Amino acid sequence: MCSRSVFDPLVNAYDAARPSYPTYLFQDLERLAGSLADARVIEVGAGTGIATRQLVARGARVIAVELGEAMLSRLRERTPDVAGAVLGDGEALPLAAGVADLVTYAQAWHWMSVPDAAGEAVRVLRPGGSLAVWWNDVDAADTRWWRSQQTRLEAMSPGYDRDYRIRPWADELRWTGNFADVVTLTGRWEREMPIDAYLTWLRSKSYVAAIGDRLGDFLGSERDSLLHAFPDGMVVEPFRTVLVVARTDA
Ligand SMILES: C[S@@+](CC[C@H](N)C(=O)[O-])C[C@H]1O[C@@H](n2cnc3c(N)ncnc32)[C@H](O)[C@@H]1O
């Protein structure tokens, strides 16, 4: 059977190497959308459950919705306290109207048609509930190693553009006319990891998988470039988080 998610074949690399989200992001989310303790949260594009487990740890009752069967099955194995985990599409949620306090998309909103997914989020939210979308974006444009990686990717991965996630996320939500209030918060953090783990993180990305037959060449060039930039073998990668919270009318 053909997978419905480009991430299904990447599930092991995804689970092993994708970063979780910093604590401050959940504190900001609670400040803008209310306490997560006992909140009814629908998490769409939940993947292997990286954000799911962080939401559950803060007391949320999370129903995870995910397009990929392999991703969802890994989430179920790794997240025993999830309230529900269903195969489904963010643009046609398999859920009744008004059942959620919060609908979230961690690193997944850019896969959606905004008007369709925003309409679905509003349908399943109670009045006054919120939609929250967020990302960990690599924030390394001032480093030579990252710029040369991106140049290689743009040459080798069909259609890839390093700025693919630069979009007016808050305005796109305002333009739907569905929300009373839309707020964006950003923050910065970094992580340090051995080069092999960093290469696994690269392999978890759909646009790296799209390189196809030349993936080995790409990863070989990356290893050389990273060893040059980080001679001790530990890659330091800066991130910028972007959190957008859109509240519906009460
Ligand atoms: C980059 S991953 C993010 C996974 C997880 N939220 C995290 O923070 O690691 C994007 C996920 O969205 C899922 N996805 C893509 N389009 C979707 C859709 N229309 N409905 C539901 N899930 C979708 C993919 O299968 C993938 O698991």
Side-chain angles (χ1 to χ4, degrees), residues 5 7 14 18 21 43-47 50 66-68 71 88-90 106-108 111-112:
S5 171
F7 286 94
Y14 202 104
R18 285 274 173 151
Y21 303 95
E43 197 214 342
V44 188
I50 293 172
E66 166 56 50
L67 200 60
M71 296 293 269
D89 185 339
Q107 211 84 8
W111 288 97
M112 305 295 140

Side-chain angles (χ1 to χ4, degrees), residues 48-246:
T48 58
I50 293 172
T52 322
R53 289 184 284 283
Q54 293 184 283
L55 291 163
V56 168
R58 298 184 89 89
R61 288 177 280 151
V62 181
I63 295 182
V65 179
E66 166 56 50
L67 200 60
E69 284 178 45
M71 296 293 269
L72 190 67
S73 132
R74 184 63 57 90
L75 181 149
R76 287 194 181 108
E77 282 164 36
R78 303 256 285 109
T79 321
D81 294 334
V82 71
V86 293
L87 208 55
D89 185 339
E91 297 173 11
L93 290 171
L95 295 158
V99 295
D101 301 307
L102 177 66
V103 177
T104 67
Y105 282 81
Q107 211 84 8
W109 186 245
H110 57 289
W111 288 97
M112 305 295 140
S113 145
V114 169
D116 295 343
E120 274 298 85
V122 170
R123 182 181 67 75
V124 301
L125 282 169
R126 62 160 169 80
S130 296
L131 167 64
V133 304
W134 67 82
W135 294 267
N136 274 322
D137 286 333
V138 177
D139 187 23
D142 60 343
T143 68
R144 187 176 300 192
W145 67 269
W146 190 82
R147 287 197 305 271
S148 63
Q149 172 192 104
Q150 295 300 300
T151 301
R152 268 192 293 281
L153 275 171
E154 283 167 346
M156 297 176 88
S157 175
Y160 177 74
D161 171 353
R162 71 188 70 185
D163 292 333
Y164 78 104
R165 276 213 316 251
I166 298 182
R167 273 171 47 187
W169 302 115
D171 283 338
E172 288 180 6
L173 284 166
R174 286 187 192 102
W175 296 332
T176 67
N178 282 319
F179 301 100
D181 188 35
V182 184
V183 175
T184 303
L185 292 176
T186 61
R188 288 193 158 68
W189 67 285
E190 61 182 34
R191 75 170 170 167
E192 188 171 350
M193 55 169 54
I195 285 179
D196 278 340
Y198 183 86
L199 295 178
T200 304
W201 147 238
L202 283 179
R203 283 194 291 102
S204 79
K205 301 185 187 209
S206 56
Y207 51 81
V208 172
I211 292 173
D213 290 349
R214 296 178 66 204
L215 182 60
D217 296 343
F218 171 74
L219 293 174
S221 304
E222 274 308 302
R223 182 183 292 282
D224 293 346
S225 162
L226 291 166
L227 269 171
H228 185 74
F230 303 100
D232 67 353
M234 294 298 287
V235 180
V236 179
E237 187 172 39
F239 288 93
R240 174 177 185 264
T241 52
V242 177
L243 167 68
V244 184
V245 178

